Amino acid sequence: MSRSKTTYACNECGAASARWLGKCPSCGAWNSLVETVAQAPAGGGKNRLGAAFAALAPASDVQALASIEAQDVARTPTGQAELDRALGGGIVAGGVVLMGGDPGIGKSTLLLQALDALQRAGVPSLYVTGEESGAQVALRARRLGLAGSQVAVLAEIQLEKIVATLAARQPAVAVIDSIQTIYSDQLTSAPGSVAQVRECAAHLTRWAKAQGCAIVLVGHVTKDGQLAGPRVLEHMVDTVLYFEGDTHSSFRLIRAIKNRFGAVNEIGVFAMTEKGLKGVSNPSAIFLSQHADPVPGSCVLVTLEGTRPLLVEVQALVDSGGPSPRRLSVGLERDRLAMLLAVLHRHAGVATGDQDVFVNAVGGVRISEPAADLAVMLAITSSLRGKALPKGFLAFGEVGLAGEVRPAPRGQERLKEAAKLGFSVAVVPKANAPKRKDKAFEGLTIHAVERVEEAMALARQLA
Ligand SMILES: Nc1ncnc2c1ncn2[C@@H]1O[C@H](COP(=O)(O)OP(=O)(O)OP(=O)(O)O)[C@@H](O)[C@H]1O
Ligand SMILES: [Mg+2]
Ligand SMILES: [Zn+2]
């Protein structure tokens, strides 16, 4: 074995440095550099870079694009319709999926259910567990009602043994639960370290591509919602799925952050039950809190996740703050919140400069689309004034720095869903208001606004 040399690698981005630094020069993260042992890969050639890239795809001759046969990717449905939706239709042979999520959110549960369904459909599968014993997995399978499951289970954390098992059994789908527990004896650093995670993931990716085996890597997630370990993992794999949701509520979302085989905006919605995760095929109303009467500081919006509209309640609490007031948001971007507060002040005369402002999207959803702006602002002013918005009220629309209210994509669909769920008052951007009377909006009074101050005045009248 070649003499190993100690280097420092960034936990966030994987950048290497010869000495320890408090701040990563490449991604700017603090305290993220950890000691690692840099080694030439086994059979190390002179060119380390070459060896690392050779890992990703088998070398082949150069061909003209037109002469390469384009094959439609064959997708195998997992038997979990909501998971398939997030995957873009099912798993793809040779595709590598990284599945991240907070501890205890249900990653192992969902994947075991999916593998069992695949196995029952005649797709050979392998579940590699590095975190639990075979007995624990069996116990979970029994709880999930998967008695008599033929899924092959391997409790192993050494990469070389796992690859040997893959080679011997040739499964069509394999789950590695989790990539952070796997280590390769080619490296001396500890399991879970950047070098190990990266090397193991690269090795498994290479295997998947070469053998046409679909591999799902389970990855742990840090508190701030990033996939722990090097970000290079996200670049290496074909699909990154992220499990979100509030562990206190039973609903879970699977969101594709990246997908080389499908759209990224689709989400899968599940409910955690005694018998595991069950898909929710009509999720539009699950993120509404169950107040009998409207409360101050709450406003409902219709967000579009992929192809399905989803009604989500946004809550705000505005309270007198200390010398440096706080702005905190859960499920919504904090920078966006600061911007909205500035727009409120400048264009609607609503001052929150000396107040703490907290904003939360109910049910642990993450809303990234700007169409939430109007609802966030209405929730904030409602809390500030201590006045609830009327029952059956909802709003959506993007707000610009000049105080203009911009249309949201596919506004009519959003309004239709709201009407269907019995909402009665909507404040929406002018361009989203229906031009003609339509039966689909019956019972819903639609107010069209062009400016933020108009929307705020309207809310004051209605409250
Ligand atoms: N008896 C039970 N009845 C209902 N739900 C249960 C039961 N036991 C466990 N659960 C649910 O399953 C969840 C654990 O799921 P799972 O082990 O699949 O999570 P995970 O994402 O794999 O976690 P980890 O990161 O720890 O591996 C628990 O948080 C709980 O909600
Ligand atoms: Mg698990
Ligand atoms: Zn870094």
Side-chain angles (χ1 to χ4, degrees), residues 335-380:
D335 294 345
R336 189 112 198 139
L337 172 61
M339 187 194 105
L340 295 180
L341 291 174
V343 173
L344 261 183
H345 185 210
R346 170 60 73 88
H347 297 286
V350 180
T352 50
D354 54 351
Q355 309 272 322
D356 282 341
V357 180
F358 305 100
V359 176
N360 175 33
V362 169
V365 245
R366 241 170 264 256
I367 305 172
S368 49
E369 65 162 1
D373 293 352
L374 207 50
V376 172
M377 289 172 130
L378 287 165
I380 290 170

Side-chain angles (χ1 to χ4, degrees), residues 240-325:
V240 180
L241 296 183
Y242 188 85
F243 232 120
E244 24 184 275
D246 190 344
T247 30
H248 305 295
S249 94
S250 64
F251 293 109
R252 307 277 189 273
L253 295 185
I254 285 195
R255 193 187 294 272
I257 293 177
K258 152 181 174 173
N259 196 350
R260 286 182 185 151
F261 302 121
V264 285
N265 50 9
E266 280 302 349
I267 57 167
V269 183
F270 296 89
M272 178 62 94
T273 69
E274 185 83 356
K275 292 251 179 266
L277 288 155
K278 291 252 170 354
V280 179
S281 52
N282 187 11
S284 60
I286 61 175
F287 295 107
L288 300 176
S289 71
Q290 315 293 332
H291 313 294
D293 283 308
V295 292
S298 148
C299 183
V300 172
L301 82 123
V302 196
T303 167
L304 258 186
E305 295 289 355
T307 51
R308 294 183 298 187
L310 207 60
L311 281 100
V312 179
E313 179 181 337
V314 175
Q315 296 183 330
L317 178 65
V318 182
D319 202 13
S320 56
S324 53

